[in-house]
Amino acid sequence: MASTSVSRVVPASPQQVWNLIGGFDALPDWLPYILESTPLEGGRVRRLTNPDGEVITERLVDFNETEHHYSYAILEAPFPVTGYVSTLRVHTVPGRDDVAEVQWSGRFAPNGVSDTEAEDLFVGTYRDGLEALHKALSA
């Protein structure tokens, strides 16, 4: 299994950040890569569409409102990995109530590519996503 993690401090309180990103169906609200999210199975599954029209289907596997995190598994996607599970987590920053740290991490088995190539793909995805989140919260 390969894994990667990216963190970013963003300009909003942990609760404000969670209010924006904590809904499993909320990706289009802050992530430009996802144009549409359709909830399925009572909201436990989401079918995402990216700008290229590709479909990504993910299942919620863990959700904690109090601790501000959720984890999901990819069921179907155009990525060269299998067994993908990711977690999106909002942390407090000690001594600060006006910022939060957001961590996006994942583990997966590369399929047809090296560990490094798969890790680089998701480092880029997570980094770009957290940059978009920062911009959304700065507006």
Side-chain angles (χ1 to χ4, degrees):
M1 288 293 257
S3 65
T4 191
S5 181
V6 174
S7 295
R8 173 83 193 255
V9 173
V10 296
S13 72
Q15 188 61 53
Q16 290 170 315
V17 176
W18 185 247
N19 289 346
L20 177 60
I21 72 171
F24 188 56
D25 200 38
L27 287 179
D29 296 340
W30 61 274
L31 187 62
Y33 177 70
I34 300 300
L35 300 180
E36 183 179 357
S37 179
T38 304
L40 305 169
E41 297 183 24
R44 303 281 299 168
V45 172
R46 62 186 178 194
R47 183 174 47 232
L48 309 170
T49 306
N50 70 19
D52 296 328
E54 296 170 318
V55 172
I56 303 157
T57 306
E58 299 171 336
R59 176 177 296 282
L60 184 65
V61 295
D62 183 46
F63 182 87
N64 190 310
E65 179 78 30
T66 304
E67 295 181 10
H68 298 157
H69 66 84
Y70 69 81
S71 298
Y72 60 94
I74 289 180
L75 305 177
E76 172 190 355
F79 307 132
V81 299
T82 60
Y84 177 99
V85 177
S86 183
T87 300
L88 194 57
R89 181 181 307 267
V90 179
H91 298 281
T92 59
V93 175
R96 302 282 304 267
D97 59 5
D98 60 331
V99 298
E101 180 183 9
V102 181
Q103 179 185 28
W104 200 349
S105 59
R107 64 183 190 280
F108 38 83
N111 184 13
V113 298
S114 70
D115 284 9
T116 301
E117 289 171 306
E119 289 167 351
D120 287 350
L121 169 67
F122 290 107
V123 164
T125 300
Y126 300 164
R127 184 187 58 236
D128 293 350
L130 294 181
E131 176 63 25
L133 176 62
H134 188 278
K135 287 180 182 174
L137 292 166
S138 298

